[in-house]
Amino acid sequence: MKKTLLFALAALLVLTLFAGCNGGESNTLTMATNAEFPPYEFMEDGKIVGIDAEIAQAIATKLGKELKIENVDFDSLIPGVQTGKYDFVMAGMTVTEDRKEQVDFTQTYATGVQVIIVKEGSKITTADDLFKEGANTKIGVQLATTGDLYCTWDIEDEGLGTVERYNKGADAVMALNTDKVDCVVIDNEPAKVFVQNNPGLKILDTEYITEDYAAAVSKDQPELKADIDKALGELIADGTVKTIIEKYIPAE
Ligand code: GLN
């Protein structure tokens, strides 16, 4: 009798522990980002804020989960989601064919444009200048971003110039300020913020490439991807995403 009771109690304990564990785990949604990409994600008063942080929060609320945001290097985002360290990524991340082989993307919620930042009076006046034979431009980029990938393929691999890779977009801009690079190729919205903070720099009118941003989820989590996609779709449809974007990027 005593034994049975003890056994039952033990079983109950194990079950409770299990349930508690599961509940805790499934009730938190971990979003990974790289908070060096204003206005999509940046640090303010020690907190990660921005468009992606707010959309992620709205998604989590819709799914009845608590949101946790992890701030990591941009090139750790995809590996982290692949190994299950993070549930999803929102980082102004462009949908590309290569990345689609590594992760699943939700529908897109914003567009970005790769632009070129130069010093006022620079000899570089159009995107074409980077592709000229003998131009030998030194291009600053953020490591593992599409700006890095495209400039590497189209310019460095073709022997037309060189690419200097930095962990932060702001560091690439700093390198431009101190003439370590001739230009920076980066997404338009952070470019605007960086140029605003650095007198003497400007963004060239010529656009390099237009891209779509989406959230990334592990290929092993089709249900989670469907949940996030559905929540995101609703937030797009009811205007929440637009409101969040316009809060950070006032319509011109
Ligand atoms: N949109 C670019 C990319 O996906 C840059 C994103 C970023 O730096 N956060 O590569």
Side-chain angles (χ1 to χ4, degrees), residues 105-169:
F105 282 103
T106 61
Q107 57 197 293
T108 69
Y109 60 89
T111 50
V113 180
Q114 294 297 314
V115 295
I116 302 167
I117 308 177
V118 294
K119 271 193 165 174
E120 304 268 10
S122 166
K123 272 191 253 159
I124 305 165
T125 57
T126 73
D128 290 343
D129 289 343
L130 305 184
F131 295 90
K132 280 191 189 131
E133 201 69 52
N136 274 327
T137 314
K138 262 198 190 164
I139 307 165
V141 297
Q142 186 184 0
L143 178 72
T145 60
T146 45
D148 178 9
L149 302 176
Y150 300 144
C151 290
T152 302
W153 294 330
D154 297 344
I155 296 167
E156 192 167 68
D157 291 354
E158 297 297 321
L160 301 172
T162 51
V163 177
E164 301 288 331
R165 298 166 188 88
Y166 300 88
N167 264 325
K168 305 175 184 180

Side-chain angles (χ1 to χ4, degrees), residues 37-157:
F37 197 71
Y40 283 88
E41 40 269 331
F42 55 103
M43 299 302 295
E44 198 175 77
D45 301 328
K47 256 189 75 186
I48 301 165
V49 296
I51 294 168
D52 286 333
E54 291 203 23
I55 296 177
Q57 182 56 63
I59 291 173
T61 303
K62 252 192 193 294
L63 299 180
K65 309 236 179 186
E66 200 156 318
L67 181 72
K68 193 172 149 207
I69 302 182
E70 298 267 7
N71 184 17
V72 300
D73 283 343
F74 189 79
D75 65 340
S76 310
L77 292 171
I78 287 184
V81 105
Q82 282 180 310
T83 54
K85 216 166 160 186
Y86 321 118
D87 294 315
F88 68 119
V89 168
M90 286 189 81
M93 184 174 273
T94 304
V95 179
T96 70
E97 290 308 314
D98 280 358
R99 289 175 183 163
K100 267 165 64 180
E101 283 172 21
Q102 304 168 54
V103 288
D104 275 345
F105 282 103
T106 61
Q107 57 197 293
T108 69
Y109 60 89
T111 50
V113 180
Q114 294 297 314
V115 295
I116 302 167
I117 308 177
V118 294
K119 271 193 165 174
E120 304 268 10
S122 166
K123 272 191 253 159
I124 305 165
T125 57
T126 73
D128 290 343
D129 289 343
L130 305 184
F131 295 90
K132 280 191 189 131
E133 201 69 52
N136 274 327
T137 314
K138 262 198 190 164
I139 307 165
V141 297
Q142 186 184 0
L143 178 72
T145 60
T146 45
D148 178 9
L149 302 176
Y150 300 144
C151 290
T152 302
W153 294 330
D154 297 344
I155 296 167
E156 192 167 68
D157 291 354

Side-chain angles (χ1 to χ4, degrees), residues 34-42 187-191 193-194 197:
N34 172 242
E36 302 290 345
F37 197 71
Y40 283 88
E41 40 269 331
F42 55 103
D187 302 50
N188 56 332
E189 291 304 334
V193 177
F194 293 143
N197 296 339

